[in-house]
């Protein structure tokens, strides 16, 4: 076992997983329990678990680094209570390496290996999977994004700068024709990207088949008249066969993108969908907070997005700066940077980070300053649709904010000659 702050180099025949654990026991011993539980063994050595088998198949503890303990446990634990084991509650960051031969190119089994029963171990009162690292040859055995950043730019016709997007609002309730009418207004307003809300997939009041046909007629007419392409991400979340049918319809109608609520569809369904559609896959992560918000439990975004990128998605939601959700700005920026980082050396598999939730012109400068680039999808619902001068002014205000940010000019200064931005600052800024 390596007790230094850096794990052993990544070998070609293993993947590495980083964890944060909490336990009243010796963290190094718990790390060994984790390694055995998720590979060749269980809580005791079993028949047929020979030394040769363990050498081939057992996970290896690469490092254990203790950090400050806690005075009380983060999570309840009946096993420890039965053992009458109390604190102090040690915490440690550790790395395990798992033989790839145990897993092969099997995405659900990969997830089960690096997570699985670890969250239920009696020895721990906290368990968090933080990061995954894969050898390049192993990563290449899984799906790649069909489009990613460069392909999305080609499909949308937006060669430079951020893609400016919005969301269909109201979330639900609009008929197919009403949705198409709203999309017409949004196209005329100058957006680059429009997506369905995650709770609007195939409702009775606007069946997806009707909605796709109505919306795509509007999009095609607008493209023929103006030469501009507006990308629409239709929410096709459903069981796999239905998602394939929905994607086929979008493709036949000339669409370029579909969206799915990935946590509820599952890794296998998204992977299978990727293999059967040429469309861009917009990955909506709703429900991720359930897995990530407790600092002692769940999964960090680096590990989370690694699994979904292996399924072949093209866009990943990261929330937005100073938004309406609970994530800190640092977490949002780290998530966006992870999307722009290849999963393995020499593999072009970056995906487009999708910023959303409470975004408007005023959140642009911090977004640009943190990322230092514009390879992103910047989506604003209220920031466009609620602009006091209308949606077109909302889009313009956001474009003006990006112009100012890229030029290094404060928004208030740029707003002196940009009325739409000025009105956005007055209207949204007064709301904190």
């Amino acid at each position: 076992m390596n007790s230094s702050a850096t794990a052993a180099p990544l070998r070609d025949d293993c993947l590495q997983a980083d964890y944060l654990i909490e336990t009243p026991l010796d963290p190094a011993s718990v790390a060994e329990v984790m390694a055995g539980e998720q590979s060749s063994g269980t809580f005791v050595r079993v028949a047929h678990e020979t030394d040769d088998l363990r050498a081939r198949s057992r996970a290896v503890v690469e490092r254990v680094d203790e950090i400050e303990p806690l005075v009380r446990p983060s999570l309840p634990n009946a096993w420890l209570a039965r053992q009458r084991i109390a604190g102090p509650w040690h915490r440690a960051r550790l790395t395990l390496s798992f033989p790839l031969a145990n897993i092969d190119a099997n995405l659900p089994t990969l997830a089960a290996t690096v997570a699985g029963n670890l969250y239920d171990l009696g020895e721990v009162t906290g368990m968090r999977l933080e990061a995954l690292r894969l050898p390049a040859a192993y990563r290449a055995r899984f799906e790649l994004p069909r489009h990613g950043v460069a392909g999305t730019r080609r499909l949308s016709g937006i060669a430079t700068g951020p893609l400016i997007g919005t969301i269909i609002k109201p979330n639900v309730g609009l008929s197919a024709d009403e949705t198409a009418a709203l999309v017409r207004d949004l196209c005329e307003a100058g957006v680059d990207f429009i997506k369905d809300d995650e709770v609007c997939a195939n409702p009775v009041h606007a069946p997806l088949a009707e909605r796709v046909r109505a919306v795509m007629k509007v999009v095609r007419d607008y493209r023929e008249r103006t030469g501009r392409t507006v990308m629409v991400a239709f929410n096709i979340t459903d069981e796999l066969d239905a998602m394939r049918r929905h994607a086929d319809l979008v493709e036949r109608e000339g669409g370029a993108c579909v969206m799915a609520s990935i946590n509820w569809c599952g890794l296998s369904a998204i992977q299978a969908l990727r293999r059967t559609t040429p469309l861009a896959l917009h990955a909506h992560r709703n429900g991720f907070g359930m897995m990530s918000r407790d600092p002692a439990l769940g999964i960090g975004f680096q590990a989370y997005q690694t699994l979904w990128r292996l399924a072949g998605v093209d866009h990943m939601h990261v929330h937005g700066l100073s938004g309406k959700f609970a994530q800190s700005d640092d977490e949002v920026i780290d998530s966006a940077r992870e999307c722009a980082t290849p999963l393995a050396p020499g593999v072009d598999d970056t995906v487009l980070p999708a910023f959303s939730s409470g975004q408007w012109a005023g959140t642009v400068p911090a977004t640009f300053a943190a990322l230092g680039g514009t390879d992103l999808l910047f989506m604003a619902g209220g920031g466009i649709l609620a602009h006091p001068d209308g949606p077109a002014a909302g889009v313009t205000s956001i474009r003006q904010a990006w112009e100012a940010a890229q030029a290094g000019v404060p928004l208030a200064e740029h707003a002196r000659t940009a009325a739409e931005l000025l009105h956005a600052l007055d209207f949204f800024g007064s709301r904190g």
Side-chain angles (χ1 to χ4, degrees):
M1 179 187 69
N2 182 355
S3 294
S4 69
T6 303
L10 182 65
R11 304 196 310 270
D12 290 340
D13 61 347
C14 291
L15 66 84
Q16 289 184 349
D18 296 339
Y19 301 90
L20 172 65
I21 68 166
E22 178 187 304
T23 177
L25 306 173
D26 172 41
S29 299
V30 173
E32 293 292 345
V33 171
M34 293 168 60
E37 182 72 27
Q38 296 306 105
S39 58
S40 66
T42 180
F43 67 98
V44 294
R45 190 152 177 162
V46 298
H48 307 293
E49 189 184 355
T50 64
D51 289 341
D52 179 64
L53 183 146
R54 287 168 66 94
R56 287 184 284 109
S57 300
R58 195 177 194 277
V60 173
V61 179
E62 299 286 0
R63 68 164 181 131
V64 178
D65 297 315
E66 289 202 49
I67 58 178
E68 67 278 5
L70 298 178
V71 297
R72 60 181 60 87
S74 296
L75 299 171
N77 188 311
W79 185 85
L80 290 171
R82 290 196 300 270
Q83 306 296 319
R84 301 183 184 279
I85 298 174
W89 310 98
H90 309 290
R91 295 194 302 157
R93 300 189 185 279
L94 60 93
T95 299
L96 303 182
S97 62
F98 296 91
L100 298 179
N102 293 357
I103 305 165
D104 204 23
N106 184 322
L107 189 51
T109 300
L110 169 56
T113 297
V114 298
N117 279 339
L118 289 177
Y119 293 105
D120 297 298
L121 287 180
E123 288 84 356
V124 300
T125 54
M127 173 67 63
R128 186 174 175 88
L129 171 62
E130 295 193 315
L132 294 172
R133 287 178 296 281
L134 314 172
Y138 185 63
R139 194 273 170 263
R141 298 182 65 191
F142 291 90
E143 271 60 43
L144 292 168
R146 188 69 61 92
H147 300 285
V149 177
T152 299
R153 288 195 178 281
R154 285 192 297 270
L155 290 171
S156 65
I158 308 300
T160 60
L163 277 75
I164 307 301
T166 191
I167 306 97
I168 298 292
K169 300 289 183 182
N171 308 34
V172 293
L174 298 176
S175 69
D177 288 340
E178 289 170 334
T179 303
L182 175 57
V183 168
R184 181 180 296 108
D185 291 343
L186 293 172
C187 288
E188 296 293 344
V191 296
D192 305 316
F193 183 96
I194 303 168
K195 80 169 190 69
D196 283 333
D197 195 82
E198 67 273 13
V199 297
C200 184
N202 196 17
V204 173
H205 57 265
L208 190 56
E210 294 180 15
R211 200 165 76 247
V212 169
R213 292 187 178 98
V215 166
M216 285 309 304
K217 183 181 186 306
V218 167
V219 171
R220 291 193 304 270
D221 290 347
Y222 178 76
R223 181 171 58 223
E224 291 170 7
R225 181 165 53 84
T226 66
R228 288 191 72 245
T229 296
V230 176
M231 179 179 282
V232 179
F234 292 97
N235 183 2
I236 64 169
T237 301
D238 210 322
E239 52 88 13
L240 176 58
D241 288 342
M243 288 200 295
R244 284 170 165 160
R245 291 194 301 271
H246 300 327
D248 288 345
L249 173 61
V250 172
E251 184 183 359
R252 288 197 303 272
E253 291 292 321
C257 186
V258 290
M259 180 184 106
S261 295
I262 53 177
N263 293 323
W264 316 121
C265 293
L267 289 165
S268 296
I270 299 302
Q271 188 178 41
L273 179 64
R274 169 75 293 158
R275 292 171 178 173
T276 56
T277 183
L279 303 177
L281 294 186
H282 184 87
H284 200 299
R285 73 181 199 180
N286 59 88
F288 175 62
M290 172 183 66
M291 310 173 193
S292 67
R293 284 185 63 182
D294 191 315
L297 183 67
I299 184 169
F301 188 77
Q302 196 283 341
Y304 174 84
Q305 59 91 38
T306 296
L307 295 172
W308 289 110
R309 284 167 65 182
L310 294 181
V313 302
D314 295 289
H315 311 156
M316 281 290 300
H317 274 232
V318 298
H319 288 334
L321 299 187
S322 302
K324 64 183 182 181
F325 292 134
Q327 284 74 16
S328 69
D329 285 356
D330 286 344
E331 182 179 345
V332 173
I333 292 301
D334 287 346
S335 298
R337 289 173 177 165
E338 290 295 346
C339 292
T341 302
L343 294 183
V347 180
D348 182 11
D349 64 352
T350 58
V351 295
L352 190 71
F355 287 77
S356 67
S357 86
Q359 299 305 282
W360 63 289
T363 61
V364 165
T367 304
F368 179 69
L371 290 185
T374 58
D375 281 338
L376 57 94
L377 172 57
F378 188 86
M379 290 185 291
I384 288 175
L385 293 165
H387 191 285
D389 299 328
V395 174
T396 300
S397 72
I398 291 173
R399 294 199 189 282
Q400 291 166 341
W402 278 101
E403 291 168 2
Q406 290 176 266
V409 177
L411 291 189
E413 179 179 333
H414 192 58
R416 294 171 188 165
T417 56
E420 295 85 357
L421 177 58
L422 177 63
H423 294 164
L425 295 177
D426 289 343
F427 181 75
F428 295 110
S430 67
R431 283 155 175 75

mmCIF file of all heavy atoms in Angstrom, residues 286-307:
data_model
loop_
_atom_site.group_PDB
_atom_site.id
_atom_site.type_symbol
_atom_site.label_atom_id
_atom_site.label_comp_id
_atom_site.label_asym_id
_atom_site.label_seq_id
_atom_site.Cartn_x
_atom_site.Cartn_y
_atom_site.Cartn_z
ATOM 1 N N ASN A 286 -30.829 15.721 -14.148
ATOM 2 C CA ASN A 286 -31.750 15.938 -13.030
ATOM 3 C C ASN A 286 -31.734 14.720 -12.099
ATOM 4 O O ASN A 286 -31.775 13.585 -12.528
ATOM 5 C CB ASN A 286 -33.158 16.247 -13.533
ATOM 6 C CG ASN A 286 -33.759 15.174 -14.401
ATOM 7 O OD1 ASN A 286 -34.383 14.235 -13.905
ATOM 8 N ND2 ASN A 286 -33.590 15.290 -15.709
ATOM 9 N N GLY A 287 -31.650 14.992 -10.818
ATOM 10 C CA GLY A 287 -31.494 13.936 -9.819
ATOM 11 C C GLY A 287 -30.067 13.779 -9.327
ATOM 12 O O GLY A 287 -29.820 13.068 -8.349
ATOM 13 N N PHE A 288 -29.114 14.458 -9.988
ATOM 14 C CA PHE A 288 -27.720 14.319 -9.576
ATOM 15 C C PHE A 288 -27.506 14.792 -8.149
ATOM 16 O O PHE A 288 -26.691 14.238 -7.413
ATOM 17 C CB PHE A 288 -26.816 15.082 -10.538
ATOM 18 C CG PHE A 288 -25.362 15.110 -10.141
ATOM 19 C CD1 PHE A 288 -24.637 13.935 -10.037
ATOM 20 C CD2 PHE A 288 -24.721 16.309 -9.853
ATOM 21 C CE1 PHE A 288 -23.298 13.950 -9.656
ATOM 22 C CE2 PHE A 288 -23.394 16.339 -9.478
ATOM 23 C CZ PHE A 288 -22.677 15.151 -9.381
ATOM 24 N N GLY A 289 -28.256 15.815 -7.725
ATOM 25 C CA GLY A 289 -28.091 16.306 -6.361
ATOM 26 C C GLY A 289 -28.365 15.245 -5.318
ATOM 27 O O GLY A 289 -27.758 15.245 -4.239
ATOM 28 N N MET A 290 -29.265 14.327 -5.629
ATOM 29 C CA MET A 290 -29.555 13.217 -4.725
ATOM 30 C C MET A 290 -28.313 12.368 -4.488
ATOM 31 O O MET A 290 -28.119 11.797 -3.409
ATOM 32 C CB MET A 290 -30.662 12.360 -5.349
ATOM 33 C CG MET A 290 -30.982 11.063 -4.655
ATOM 34 S SD MET A 290 -32.254 10.142 -5.560
ATOM 35 C CE MET A 290 -31.386 9.757 -7.087
ATOM 36 N N MET A 291 -27.439 12.317 -5.478
ATOM 37 C CA MET A 291 -26.236 11.491 -5.402
ATOM 38 C C MET A 291 -25.014 12.255 -4.920
ATOM 39 O O MET A 291 -24.004 11.637 -4.575
ATOM 40 C CB MET A 291 -25.907 10.928 -6.795
ATOM 41 C CG MET A 291 -27.048 10.268 -7.495
ATOM 42 S SD MET A 291 -26.565 9.839 -9.196
ATOM 43 C CE MET A 291 -28.181 9.459 -9.884
ATOM 44 N N SER A 292 -25.088 13.577 -4.898
ATOM 45 C CA SER A 292 -23.852 14.345 -4.734
ATOM 46 C C SER A 292 -23.847 15.358 -3.601
ATOM 47 O O SER A 292 -22.771 15.777 -3.170
ATOM 48 C CB SER A 292 -23.559 15.103 -6.033
ATOM 49 O OG SER A 292 -24.539 16.102 -6.263
ATOM 50 N N ARG A 293 -25.017 15.790 -3.107
ATOM 51 C CA ARG A 293 -25.012 16.951 -2.228
ATOM 52 C C ARG A 293 -24.443 16.681 -0.842
ATOM 53 O O ARG A 293 -23.875 17.577 -0.219
ATOM 54 C CB ARG A 293 -26.425 17.518 -2.102
ATOM 55 C CG ARG A 293 -26.864 18.295 -3.326
ATOM 56 C CD ARG A 293 -28.212 18.947 -3.123
ATOM 57 N NE ARG A 293 -28.179 19.941 -2.047
ATOM 58 C CZ ARG A 293 -29.250 20.618 -1.654
ATOM 59 N NH1 ARG A 293 -30.428 20.397 -2.231
ATOM 60 N NH2 ARG A 293 -29.153 21.503 -0.677
ATOM 61 N N ASP A 294 -24.575 15.460 -0.340
ATOM 62 C CA ASP A 294 -23.992 15.154 0.965
ATOM 63 C C ASP A 294 -22.497 14.923 0.785
ATOM 64 O O ASP A 294 -22.087 14.043 0.029
ATOM 65 C CB ASP A 294 -24.645 13.892 1.552
ATOM 66 C CG ASP A 294 -24.270 13.681 3.010
ATOM 67 O OD1 ASP A 294 -23.073 13.826 3.351
ATOM 68 O OD2 ASP A 294 -25.160 13.373 3.816
ATOM 69 N N PRO A 295 -21.654 15.700 1.458
ATOM 70 C CA PRO A 295 -20.206 15.563 1.245
ATOM 71 C C PRO A 295 -19.641 14.231 1.712
ATOM 72 O O PRO A 295 -18.509 13.889 1.356
ATOM 73 C CB PRO A 295 -19.620 16.730 2.055
ATOM 74 C CG PRO A 295 -20.664 17.054 3.072
ATOM 75 C CD PRO A 295 -21.980 16.782 2.410
ATOM 76 N N ALA A 296 -20.412 13.477 2.477
ATOM 77 C CA ALA A 296 -19.924 12.183 2.967
ATOM 78 C C ALA A 296 -20.517 11.004 2.215
ATOM 79 O O ALA A 296 -20.219 9.852 2.549
ATOM 80 C CB ALA A 296 -20.240 12.032 4.457
ATOM 81 N N LEU A 297 -21.319 11.250 1.209
ATOM 82 C CA LEU A 297 -22.046 10.160 0.565
ATOM 83 C C LEU A 297 -22.221 10.438 -0.918
ATOM 84 O O LEU A 297 -22.391 11.582 -1.338
ATOM 85 C CB LEU A 297 -23.427 10.002 1.213
ATOM 86 C CG LEU A 297 -24.316 8.861 0.704
ATOM 87 C CD1 LEU A 297 -23.718 7.499 1.071
ATOM 88 C CD2 LEU A 297 -25.722 8.989 1.287
ATOM 89 N N GLY A 298 -22.184 9.400 -1.719
ATOM 90 C CA GLY A 298 -22.579 9.536 -3.110
ATOM 91 C C GLY A 298 -21.424 9.528 -4.078
ATOM 92 O O GLY A 298 -20.474 8.756 -3.956
ATOM 93 N N ILE A 299 -21.498 10.431 -5.051
ATOM 94 C CA ILE A 299 -20.547 10.427 -6.155
ATOM 95 C C ILE A 299 -20.225 11.848 -6.558
ATOM 96 O O ILE A 299 -21.108 12.706 -6.628
ATOM 97 C CB ILE A 299 -21.120 9.622 -7.349
ATOM 98 C CG1 ILE A 299 -20.117 9.515 -8.498
ATOM 99 C CG2 ILE A 299 -22.439 10.202 -7.839
ATOM 100 C CD1 ILE A 299 -20.541 8.526 -9.573
ATOM 101 N N GLY A 300 -18.960 12.122 -6.788
ATOM 102 C CA GLY A 300 -18.547 13.424 -7.279
ATOM 103 C C GLY A 300 -18.724 13.517 -8.786
ATOM 104 O O GLY A 300 -18.823 12.503 -9.488
ATOM 105 N N PHE A 301 -18.731 14.737 -9.305
ATOM 106 C CA PHE A 301 -19.043 14.918 -10.718
ATOM 107 C C PHE A 301 -17.999 14.291 -11.630
ATOM 108 O O PHE A 301 -18.330 13.806 -12.712
ATOM 109 C CB PHE A 301 -19.188 16.410 -11.048
ATOM 110 C CG PHE A 301 -19.691 16.649 -12.446
ATOM 111 C CD1 PHE A 301 -21.032 16.488 -12.758
ATOM 112 C CD2 PHE A 301 -18.816 17.023 -13.459
ATOM 113 C CE1 PHE A 301 -21.498 16.689 -14.056
ATOM 114 C CE2 PHE A 301 -19.271 17.237 -14.752
ATOM 115 C CZ PHE A 301 -20.616 17.074 -15.050
ATOM 116 N N GLN A 302 -16.734 14.293 -11.235
ATOM 117 C CA GLN A 302 -15.723 13.713 -12.126
ATOM 118 C C GLN A 302 -16.032 12.243 -12.408
ATOM 119 O O GLN A 302 -16.009 11.809 -13.567
ATOM 120 C CB GLN A 302 -14.317 13.855 -11.516
ATOM 121 C CG GLN A 302 -13.175 13.637 -12.513
ATOM 122 C CD GLN A 302 -12.903 12.176 -12.859
ATOM 123 O OE1 GLN A 302 -13.297 11.264 -12.134
ATOM 124 N NE2 GLN A 302 -12.223 11.944 -13.965
ATOM 125 N N ALA A 303 -16.320 11.484 -11.368
ATOM 126 C CA ALA A 303 -16.643 10.072 -11.573
ATOM 127 C C ALA A 303 -17.974 9.915 -12.297
ATOM 128 O O ALA A 303 -18.114 9.065 -13.188
ATOM 129 C CB ALA A 303 -16.681 9.346 -10.227
ATOM 130 N N TYR A 304 -18.944 10.731 -11.931
ATOM 131 C CA TYR A 304 -20.274 10.664 -12.536
ATOM 132 C C TYR A 304 -20.203 10.907 -14.042
ATOM 133 O O TYR A 304 -20.706 10.117 -14.846
ATOM 134 C CB TYR A 304 -21.158 11.699 -11.853
ATOM 135 C CG TYR A 304 -22.535 11.877 -12.444
ATOM 136 C CD1 TYR A 304 -23.581 11.044 -12.090
ATOM 137 C CD2 TYR A 304 -22.787 12.921 -13.340
ATOM 138 C CE1 TYR A 304 -24.860 11.222 -12.619
ATOM 139 C CE2 TYR A 304 -24.053 13.111 -13.865
ATOM 140 C CZ TYR A 304 -25.082 12.257 -13.510
ATOM 141 O OH TYR A 304 -26.332 12.445 -14.044
ATOM 142 N N GLN A 305 -19.567 11.998 -14.431
ATOM 143 C CA GLN A 305 -19.533 12.315 -15.853
ATOM 144 C C GLN A 305 -18.653 11.341 -16.631
ATOM 145 O O GLN A 305 -18.873 11.132 -17.832
ATOM 146 C CB GLN A 305 -19.079 13.759 -16.066
ATOM 147 C CG GLN A 305 -17.713 14.101 -15.511
ATOM 148 C CD GLN A 305 -16.583 13.910 -16.495
ATOM 149 O OE1 GLN A 305 -16.727 14.194 -17.664
ATOM 150 N NE2 GLN A 305 -15.440 13.425 -16.009
ATOM 151 N N THR A 306 -17.688 10.712 -15.974
ATOM 152 C CA THR A 306 -16.899 9.693 -16.659
ATOM 153 C C THR A 306 -17.788 8.554 -17.128
ATOM 154 O O THR A 306 -17.709 8.116 -18.282
ATOM 155 C CB THR A 306 -15.796 9.152 -15.734
ATOM 156 O OG1 THR A 306 -14.867 10.207 -15.425
ATOM 157 C CG2 THR A 306 -15.040 8.006 -16.381
ATOM 158 N N LEU A 307 -18.651 8.064 -16.250
ATOM 159 C CA LEU A 307 -19.542 6.960 -16.617
ATOM 160 C C LEU A 307 -20.454 7.350 -17.779
ATOM 161 O O LEU A 307 -20.649 6.575 -18.723
ATOM 162 C CB LEU A 307 -20.359 6.523 -15.407
ATOM 163 C CG LEU A 307 -19.566 5.910 -14.246
ATOM 164 C CD1 LEU A 307 -20.464 5.702 -13.036
ATOM 165 C CD2 LEU A 307 -18.907 4.607 -14.662
#
